[in-house]
Amino acid sequence: MKKSIRVLALVLFMIMALSVLTMGYARITRQLFFAGDISVEAIPFFGVYITEAERVYTAGVSGYSHEYIKPTNLKTAVTPAQNAEPSVTYRVTVHNNTDVSYWYLGIGAERDYGANNLIDQNDGIFITTKDHLEDTSATFDKNDWIPPQTYRTFYVTYRFGARARGTACDNMVNFRFGLHMDSVQDEFLRLLNDKTSANGYQYIAESFDDKYAENGSTVIGNIGDDTAIFDAMFGPDMKINVGGVEKSVTVMIERKNVDSNVSSGDAYAGGGPAGCEYTIYLTTDSLGEDAVTVYAVSYTCDANGVWRQIGELYEGTCETDTYEDSGKAAMNISTWDATPKIYQVTNDISYKVGYEQGTEYDKYDTIEQLMSAKDQEFYNAVNNNSSKLLIPACLIVYSYRHHNGQWIESDNPYNKYNPGYDLLKAAFDKIKPYCYIGNGAQEVKIQNASTLSRAELIRLLEAVQQAYDYYLSVNET
């Protein structure tokens, strides 16, 4: 499944101060949304950048040449024949040298350069990006992403209409990659699991310890004097991108037990509350209103000290109030109430939140309810649809041989070296301890559902679905 991109694109991302050479659409900022590209001549290059561009197909063109310019600019020159249907296709490989996922945003082209003014014009130049050479449509699109520390290859086809034929066409296009909502999970998770940096987990936990010791508060916001805490974590001038427009954002983080499990999460120093998760609350609305739209996402960890997201990024509303003694407006997160909405987990499984009518679980509308629920109907839906995700994912990762009445499991030798295999195996291995795998993976079902909250299972399933989609996208099947 290629999930449709949600309206709100959120990013919590640290930008290093660099001297940059801008090319076309290149832009660097310390804001949270990073919508452009950086062109930095540095080794190693940080960000998404082209590592290889190769011409793989031509028809009715001559005088061709090409080169790529970091980070993601492709410069081409061809002369399309007058009486033909000329086209040229390039194979482009990019590397995501970061710790967060980057998404493909589309092509940018400076109109004043060469024949760029003919791009997407009647009888001009038409550019299609696709996953595989044989694809006839734009299969590499805004639903495609590059996982952290991963290479990905796609194909770019230029087709030349009547106005572009019979003369040399010099073009330079920029393949734009940026951060989406999913990157907020990546980045805050990175901070929570960073045990050594000055702005990592220790800094976050101690900031909350100090706040709790001072006045008993379990909430910190980027408001008033506490803004300095967020500046240290995420940089100043925090913004997100909504519909292509950057907006100031108010962020509050609560450290509190929201999953009813005292053995997960962490504890305040000096005998304070234990079993605490971290929940981020975020809005771009004006806090001058009585109520605002607020998005919330939670994180927990096990005894191994590794933090992980649980549940979704949920949409809701909050009443507004003043933040402590700052006199500044803020969200009153104790009033957060989930917006009625259907959330898609896999291609075939969804669930409702905040509905007035329906099952008990459909009506849940607080973070505590959403994080702690154990929903047997949801577990049953997962098992009834196992042939759509769990079984095929398992059979890509593992192979099974029947010997002396037993099934012998091993890494699938036919897929082990395919791109995306390691990502899918890592995702599947996290859900595997909760699965029953029988009859050579003809059965793959959630067996230990009672040990998982619905929120925990949701996140495990979404990780498998995303890795499975990625594997299918980058391998010709």
Side-chain angles (χ1 to χ4, degrees), residues 46-356:
F46 183 80
V48 176
Y49 61 97
I50 296 176
T51 61
E52 184 179 8
E54 179 184 1
R55 189 179 65 254
V56 294
Y57 176 81
T58 61
V61 297
S62 62
Y64 32 69
S65 67
H66 73 276
E67 63 177 309
Y68 61 88
I69 303 170
K70 286 185 178 179
T72 53
N73 300 283
L74 182 62
K75 183 178 179 181
T76 61
V78 299
T79 301
Q82 183 68 57
N83 299 314
E85 293 185 359
S87 69
V88 58
T89 298
Y90 304 90
R91 179 170 57 236
V92 178
T93 301
V94 291
H95 180 214
N96 178 6
N97 187 30
T98 76
D99 295 325
V100 297
S101 295
Y102 270 76
W103 296 71
Y104 180 60
L105 302 179
I107 289 175
E110 176 57 57
R111 291 292 169 184
D112 292 338
Y113 181 91
N116 280 6
N117 62 311
L118 293 177
I119 294 175
D120 290 336
Q121 300 300 308
N122 290 337
D123 294 323
I125 302 171
F126 304 94
I127 303 175
T128 303
T129 52
K130 49 193 181 181
D131 288 312
H132 308 294
L133 183 60
E134 297 80 11
D135 295 346
T136 57
S137 61
T139 52
F140 186 72
D141 57 24
K142 293 181 180 180
N143 295 315
D144 284 289
W145 69 98
I146 312 172
Q149 299 300 328
T150 300
Y151 292 84
R152 181 156 187 180
T153 296
F154 59 96
Y155 294 83
V156 186
T157 297
Y158 294 66
R159 290 184 170 82
F160 301 91
R163 292 172 60 193
R165 296 172 187 170
T167 185
C169 289
D170 293 340
N171 295 104
M172 184 164 63
V173 299
N174 173 255
F175 303 106
R176 299 168 52 239
F177 293 88
L179 301 173
H180 273 192
M181 185 188 325
D182 290 355
S183 300
V184 67
Q185 290 92 316
D186 293 343
E187 177 60 14
F188 193 67
L189 208 53
R190 185 190 69 79
L191 288 172
L192 288 175
N193 284 314
D194 185 345
K195 304 301 193 289
T196 59
S197 297
N199 65 335
Y201 170 75
Q202 201 63 35
Y203 177 80
I204 297 170
E206 288 177 359
S207 297
F208 275 93
D209 289 343
D210 293 345
K211 191 77 173 181
Y212 185 76
E214 177 186 339
N215 58 20
S217 175
T218 60
V219 178
I220 294 178
N222 64 333
I223 303 166
D225 293 340
D226 290 342
T227 301
I229 298 172
F230 283 79
D231 288 351
M233 287 192 290
F234 307 122
D237 195 20
M238 297 175 65
K239 292 187 177 181
I240 63 172
N241 186 282
V242 181
V245 178
E246 290 180 341
K247 295 186 176 182
S248 297
V249 59
T250 302
V251 181
M252 306 184 79
I253 303 177
E254 184 173 35
R255 186 191 192 191
K256 175 184 175 183
N257 186 340
V258 295
D259 66 356
S260 300
N261 183 358
V262 294
S263 62
S264 65
D266 67 2
Y268 284 82
C276 297
E277 283 68 47
Y278 289 85
T279 302
I280 300 175
Y281 295 87
L282 187 151
T283 187
T284 60
D285 287 356
S286 168
L287 295 177
E289 303 296 329
D290 292 336
V292 292
T293 299
V294 177
Y295 295 83
V297 59
S298 298
Y299 307 84
T300 193
C301 76
D302 300 317
N304 60 8
V306 178
W307 288 86
R308 53 192 169 84
Q309 181 187 325
I310 50 178
E312 312 268 4
L313 183 82
Y314 291 102
E315 180 183 333
T317 57
C318 273
E319 297 176 5
T320 58
D321 205 340
T322 55
Y323 185 65
E324 299 179 343
D325 58 357
S326 70
K328 295 183 178 296
M331 301 169 279
N332 181 355
I333 61 175
S334 66
T335 66
W336 188 87
D337 184 66
T339 301
K341 193 171 182 178
I342 297 176
Y343 290 88
Q344 197 74 30
V345 180
T346 71
N347 285 352
D348 303 281
I349 300 170
S350 62
Y351 66 106
K352 294 180 178 179
V353 166
Y355 278 71
E356 293 184 1

Side-chain angles (χ1 to χ4, degrees), residues 37 136 149 196 213 221 262 272 289 374 392 406 409 411 445:
D37 300 286
T136 57
Q149 299 300 328
T196 59
V262 294
E289 303 296 329
K374 292 190 174 180
Q406 294 184 326
E409 180 186 85
D411 289 353
K445 295 187 175 183

